[in-house]
Short mmCIF file of all heavy atoms in Angstrom, two decimals:
data_model
loop_
_atom_site.label_atom_id
_atom_site.label_comp_id
_atom_site.label_asym_id
_atom_site.label_seq_id
_atom_site.Cartn_x
_atom_site.Cartn_y
_atom_site.Cartn_z
N GLY A 1 0.84 -1.23 0.01
CA GLY A 1 0.01 0.05 -0.03
C GLY A 1 0.89 1.21 0.02
O GLY A 1 1.96 1.25 0.56
N THR A 2 0.39 2.35 -0.54
CA THR A 2 1.07 3.51 -0.82
C THR A 2 1.53 4.20 0.52
O THR A 2 2.71 4.53 0.63
CB THR A 2 0.28 4.56 -1.63
OG1 THR A 2 -0.13 3.91 -2.87
CG2 THR A 2 1.00 5.80 -1.84
N SER A 3 0.65 4.43 1.43
CA SER A 3 0.98 5.11 2.72
C SER A 3 1.98 4.37 3.44
O SER A 3 2.99 4.98 4.04
CB SER A 3 -0.29 5.43 3.47
OG SER A 3 -1.10 6.35 2.83
N ARG A 4 1.85 3.08 3.66
CA ARG A 4 2.85 2.33 4.44
C ARG A 4 4.14 2.36 3.74
O ARG A 4 5.22 2.41 4.45
CB ARG A 4 2.26 0.90 4.59
CG ARG A 4 1.19 0.78 5.59
CD ARG A 4 0.56 -0.68 5.53
NE ARG A 4 -0.41 -0.87 6.57
CZ ARG A 4 -1.24 -1.91 6.69
NH1 ARG A 4 -1.07 -2.99 5.83
NH2 ARG A 4 -2.12 -2.00 7.63
N ALA A 5 4.15 2.21 2.45
CA ALA A 5 5.44 2.29 1.68
C ALA A 5 6.14 3.64 1.92
O ALA A 5 7.35 3.71 2.12
CB ALA A 5 5.27 1.97 0.23
N LYS A 6 5.34 4.69 1.78
CA LYS A 6 5.94 6.01 1.94
C LYS A 6 6.57 6.14 3.35
O LYS A 6 7.66 6.72 3.49
CB LYS A 6 4.85 7.08 1.78
CG LYS A 6 4.42 7.38 0.36
CD LYS A 6 3.38 8.40 0.33
CE LYS A 6 2.89 8.76 -1.18
NZ LYS A 6 1.84 9.72 -1.19
N GLU A 7 5.84 5.60 4.36
CA GLU A 7 6.40 5.74 5.76
C GLU A 7 7.75 5.03 5.86
O GLU A 7 8.63 5.56 6.35
CB GLU A 7 5.40 5.19 6.70
CG GLU A 7 5.87 5.25 8.22
CD GLU A 7 4.89 4.70 9.18
OE1 GLU A 7 3.64 4.55 8.77
OE2 GLU A 7 5.29 4.41 10.29
N LEU A 8 7.85 3.81 5.30
CA LEU A 8 9.12 3.11 5.38
C LEU A 8 10.17 3.75 4.62
O LEU A 8 11.31 3.78 5.13
CB LEU A 8 8.87 1.65 4.92
CG LEU A 8 7.97 0.75 5.81
CD1 LEU A 8 7.90 -0.63 5.24
CD2 LEU A 8 8.47 0.68 7.22
N ILE A 9 9.88 4.27 3.42
CA ILE A 9 10.88 4.91 2.66
C ILE A 9 11.30 6.26 3.21
O ILE A 9 12.50 6.54 3.28
CB ILE A 9 10.37 5.01 1.13
CG1 ILE A 9 10.25 3.64 0.55
CG2 ILE A 9 11.32 5.91 0.33
CD1 ILE A 9 9.54 3.60 -0.83
N PHE A 10 10.33 7.09 3.67
CA PHE A 10 10.65 8.43 4.10
C PHE A 10 11.50 8.36 5.42
O PHE A 10 12.36 9.12 5.69
CB PHE A 10 9.35 9.20 4.42
CG PHE A 10 8.58 9.48 3.18
CD1 PHE A 10 7.25 10.06 3.33
CD2 PHE A 10 9.02 9.31 1.94
CE1 PHE A 10 6.51 10.40 2.25
CE2 PHE A 10 8.23 9.70 0.72
CZ PHE A 10 7.02 10.23 0.93
N THR A 11 11.17 7.34 6.23
CA THR A 11 11.81 7.25 7.57
C THR A 11 13.15 6.40 7.46
O THR A 11 13.97 6.45 8.41
CB THR A 11 10.90 6.57 8.64
OG1 THR A 11 10.63 5.26 8.20
CG2 THR A 11 9.63 7.41 8.86
N ALA A 12 13.29 5.69 6.38
CA ALA A 12 14.50 4.71 6.25
C ALA A 12 14.46 3.71 7.36
O ALA A 12 15.55 3.29 7.77
CB ALA A 12 15.80 5.46 6.16
N ARG A 13 13.30 3.44 7.86
CA ARG A 13 13.15 2.51 9.05
C ARG A 13 13.49 1.12 8.67
O ARG A 13 13.16 0.55 7.64
CB ARG A 13 11.71 2.56 9.62
CG ARG A 13 11.50 1.86 10.89
CD ARG A 13 10.02 1.87 11.32
NE ARG A 13 9.75 3.30 11.50
CZ ARG A 13 8.51 3.76 11.28
NH1 ARG A 13 7.49 2.95 10.74
NH2 ARG A 13 8.27 5.04 11.48
N ARG A 14 14.18 0.46 9.68
CA ARG A 14 14.53 -0.99 9.58
C ARG A 14 13.50 -1.74 10.46
O ARG A 14 13.34 -1.32 11.70
CB ARG A 14 15.94 -1.27 10.02
CG ARG A 14 16.92 -0.47 9.18
CD ARG A 14 18.33 -0.60 9.69
NE ARG A 14 19.30 0.24 8.93
CZ ARG A 14 20.49 -0.06 8.72
NH1 ARG A 14 20.99 -1.18 9.23
NH2 ARG A 14 21.28 0.78 8.01
N ILE A 15 12.78 -2.70 9.84
CA ILE A 15 11.73 -3.44 10.66
C ILE A 15 12.07 -4.85 10.76
O ILE A 15 12.88 -5.44 9.92
CB ILE A 15 10.34 -3.24 9.92
CG1 ILE A 15 10.35 -3.89 8.61
CG2 ILE A 15 9.94 -1.74 9.99
CD1 ILE A 15 8.92 -3.88 7.97
N GLY A 16 11.58 -5.50 11.82
CA GLY A 16 11.75 -6.94 12.03
C GLY A 16 10.81 -7.78 11.16
O GLY A 16 9.84 -7.28 10.54
N ALA A 17 11.11 -9.00 11.25
CA ALA A 17 10.25 -10.03 10.39
C ALA A 17 8.86 -10.01 10.82
O ALA A 17 7.99 -10.09 9.92
CB ALA A 17 10.92 -11.39 10.46
N ASP A 18 8.55 -9.89 12.09
CA ASP A 18 7.17 -9.95 12.48
C ASP A 18 6.33 -8.78 11.91
O ASP A 18 5.21 -8.93 11.52
CB ASP A 18 7.07 -10.02 14.04
CG ASP A 18 7.48 -11.39 14.60
OD1 ASP A 18 7.48 -12.34 13.82
OD2 ASP A 18 7.76 -11.39 15.74
N GLU A 19 6.89 -7.63 12.09
CA GLU A 19 6.25 -6.48 11.51
C GLU A 19 6.09 -6.52 9.91
O GLU A 19 5.07 -6.20 9.37
CB GLU A 19 6.99 -5.16 11.84
CG GLU A 19 6.24 -3.87 11.36
CD GLU A 19 6.89 -2.61 11.84
OE1 GLU A 19 7.89 -2.67 12.61
OE2 GLU A 19 6.35 -1.56 11.39
N ALA A 20 7.21 -7.08 9.34
CA ALA A 20 7.15 -7.24 7.85
C ALA A 20 6.11 -8.21 7.52
O ALA A 20 5.38 -8.04 6.53
CB ALA A 20 8.40 -7.75 7.37
N GLY A 21 5.83 -9.24 8.38
CA GLY A 21 4.73 -10.10 8.09
C GLY A 21 3.37 -9.48 8.22
O GLY A 21 2.47 -9.72 7.43
N ARG A 22 3.25 -8.60 9.27
CA ARG A 22 1.91 -7.98 9.55
C ARG A 22 1.65 -6.97 8.32
O ARG A 22 0.45 -6.81 7.86
CB ARG A 22 1.92 -7.21 10.82
CG ARG A 22 1.92 -8.08 12.04
CD ARG A 22 1.62 -7.31 13.29
NE ARG A 22 2.70 -6.38 13.62
CZ ARG A 22 3.70 -6.57 14.40
NH1 ARG A 22 3.93 -7.82 14.83
NH2 ARG A 22 4.66 -5.64 14.55
N LEU A 23 2.67 -6.37 7.82
CA LEU A 23 2.45 -5.51 6.68
C LEU A 23 2.22 -6.17 5.27
O LEU A 23 1.75 -5.55 4.39
CB LEU A 23 3.73 -4.56 6.55
CG LEU A 23 4.00 -3.58 7.65
CD1 LEU A 23 5.36 -2.89 7.42
CD2 LEU A 23 2.80 -2.52 7.65
N GLY A 24 2.54 -7.48 5.26
CA GLY A 24 2.46 -8.19 4.00
C GLY A 24 3.67 -8.08 3.18
O GLY A 24 3.74 -8.46 2.03
N LEU A 25 4.72 -7.59 3.78
CA LEU A 25 6.06 -7.41 3.09
C LEU A 25 6.67 -8.87 2.90
O LEU A 25 7.35 -9.10 1.90
CB LEU A 25 6.99 -6.53 3.86
CG LEU A 25 8.33 -6.29 3.28
CD1 LEU A 25 8.36 -5.91 1.87
CD2 LEU A 25 8.98 -5.15 4.18
N VAL A 26 6.44 -9.73 3.91
CA VAL A 26 6.86 -11.18 3.74
C VAL A 26 5.64 -12.01 3.87
O VAL A 26 4.69 -11.63 4.56
CB VAL A 26 7.97 -11.56 4.66
CG1 VAL A 26 9.24 -10.67 4.49
CG2 VAL A 26 7.52 -11.47 6.20
N ASP A 27 5.67 -13.15 3.31
CA ASP A 27 4.45 -14.13 3.30
C ASP A 27 4.43 -15.09 4.45
O ASP A 27 3.44 -15.43 4.94
CB ASP A 27 4.34 -14.82 2.03
CG ASP A 27 4.27 -13.88 0.83
OD1 ASP A 27 3.28 -13.29 0.61
OD2 ASP A 27 5.38 -13.69 0.10
N ARG A 28 5.64 -15.40 4.93
CA ARG A 28 5.81 -16.35 5.97
C ARG A 28 6.94 -15.90 6.89
O ARG A 28 8.03 -15.49 6.44
CB ARG A 28 6.06 -17.76 5.55
CG ARG A 28 4.93 -18.42 4.67
CD ARG A 28 5.29 -19.86 4.47
NE ARG A 28 4.23 -20.51 3.66
CZ ARG A 28 4.24 -21.82 3.42
NH1 ARG A 28 5.20 -22.61 3.82
NH2 ARG A 28 3.19 -22.33 2.72
N VAL A 29 6.75 -16.02 8.18
CA VAL A 29 7.77 -15.80 9.17
C VAL A 29 8.00 -17.07 9.90
O VAL A 29 7.03 -17.69 10.57
CB VAL A 29 7.39 -14.64 10.22
CG1 VAL A 29 8.56 -14.43 11.24
CG2 VAL A 29 7.16 -13.21 9.47
N VAL A 30 9.26 -17.55 9.93
CA VAL A 30 9.58 -18.86 10.55
C VAL A 30 10.64 -18.68 11.60
O VAL A 30 11.24 -17.58 11.82
CB VAL A 30 9.89 -19.88 9.48
CG1 VAL A 30 8.87 -20.03 8.46
CG2 VAL A 30 11.19 -19.33 8.77
N ALA A 31 10.96 -19.68 12.27
CA ALA A 31 11.99 -19.71 13.31
C ALA A 31 13.41 -19.25 12.72
O ALA A 31 13.58 -19.47 11.55
CB ALA A 31 12.17 -21.05 13.95
N PRO A 32 14.19 -18.54 13.50
CA PRO A 32 15.45 -18.10 13.03
C PRO A 32 16.26 -19.30 12.35
O PRO A 32 16.27 -20.39 12.98
CB PRO A 32 16.20 -17.59 14.26
CG PRO A 32 15.11 -17.18 15.19
CD PRO A 32 13.98 -18.17 14.94
N GLY A 33 16.86 -19.02 11.28
CA GLY A 33 17.62 -20.04 10.60
C GLY A 33 16.91 -21.06 9.79
O GLY A 33 17.43 -21.98 9.21
N LYS A 34 15.52 -20.86 9.74
CA LYS A 34 14.64 -21.84 9.04
C LYS A 34 14.02 -21.38 7.80
O LYS A 34 13.16 -21.95 7.19
CB LYS A 34 13.53 -22.36 9.98
CG LYS A 34 14.00 -23.03 11.24
CD LYS A 34 14.67 -24.35 10.96
CE LYS A 34 14.99 -25.16 12.19
NZ LYS A 34 15.72 -26.49 11.85
N ALA A 35 14.48 -20.16 7.36
CA ALA A 35 13.83 -19.58 6.19
C ALA A 35 14.06 -20.41 4.88
O ALA A 35 13.12 -20.61 4.05
CB ALA A 35 14.34 -18.14 5.94
N LEU A 36 15.22 -20.88 4.69
CA LEU A 36 15.58 -21.69 3.52
C LEU A 36 14.79 -23.01 3.55
O LEU A 36 14.17 -23.45 2.59
CB LEU A 36 17.02 -21.96 3.37
CG LEU A 36 17.42 -22.79 2.17
CD1 LEU A 36 16.97 -22.21 0.86
CD2 LEU A 36 18.94 -23.04 2.12
N GLU A 37 14.77 -23.62 4.70
CA GLU A 37 14.03 -24.85 4.91
C GLU A 37 12.52 -24.61 4.58
O GLU A 37 11.90 -25.52 3.82
CB GLU A 37 14.23 -25.39 6.33
CG GLU A 37 13.52 -26.59 6.63
CD GLU A 37 13.69 -27.14 8.05
OE1 GLU A 37 14.76 -26.97 8.65
OE2 GLU A 37 12.74 -27.60 8.64
N SER A 38 11.97 -23.55 5.08
CA SER A 38 10.56 -23.30 4.85
C SER A 38 10.35 -22.97 3.36
O SER A 38 9.34 -23.40 2.77
CB SER A 38 10.08 -22.08 5.71
OG SER A 38 8.69 -21.90 5.50
N ALA A 39 11.26 -22.24 2.73
CA ALA A 39 11.16 -21.86 1.35
C ALA A 39 11.14 -23.11 0.46
O ALA A 39 10.46 -23.21 -0.54
CB ALA A 39 12.19 -20.86 0.97
N LEU A 40 12.00 -24.06 0.80
CA LEU A 40 12.19 -25.31 0.04
C LEU A 40 10.86 -26.13 0.24
O LEU A 40 10.38 -26.70 -0.70
CB LEU A 40 13.36 -26.13 0.57
CG LEU A 40 14.73 -25.53 0.10
CD1 LEU A 40 15.86 -26.25 0.80
CD2 LEU A 40 14.86 -25.53 -1.38
N ALA A 41 10.30 -26.08 1.45
CA ALA A 41 9.11 -26.83 1.70
C ALA A 41 7.92 -26.25 0.71
O ALA A 41 7.16 -26.98 0.22
CB ALA A 41 8.64 -26.76 3.11
N LEU A 42 7.90 -24.90 0.70
CA LEU A 42 6.97 -24.26 -0.19
C LEU A 42 7.17 -24.58 -1.74
O LEU A 42 6.24 -24.89 -2.40
CB LEU A 42 7.03 -22.71 0.11
CG LEU A 42 5.99 -21.83 -0.68
CD1 LEU A 42 4.53 -22.30 -0.45
CD2 LEU A 42 6.29 -20.42 -0.22
N ALA A 43 8.46 -24.59 -2.02
CA ALA A 43 8.74 -24.86 -3.39
C ALA A 43 8.34 -26.28 -3.72
O ALA A 43 7.91 -26.56 -4.82
CB ALA A 43 10.26 -24.71 -3.62
#
């Protein structure tokens, strides 16, 4: 969405995975170190 994107770009904010998940920036949040394993399962 436009407003959320503007906020992140204007502030140069760094966000964590959980917030990225709530925003829809990432589709799945998994345990640390398990992203590749989860991506492979999805693949």
Side-chain angles (χ1 to χ4, degrees):
T2 302
S3 295
R4 288 173 172 173
K6 285 178 179 178
E7 180 178 345
L8 292 182
I9 293 170
F10 293 171
T11 62
R13 184 180 303 144
R14 304 176 183 210
I15 64 173
D18 286 339
E19 183 175 356
R22 289 193 296 271
L23 291 173
L25 178 50
V26 300
D27 301 287
R28 295 187 180 185
V29 178
V30 297
K34 297 295 186 181
L36 179 57
E37 180 181 322
S38 180
L40 289 173
L42 182 56

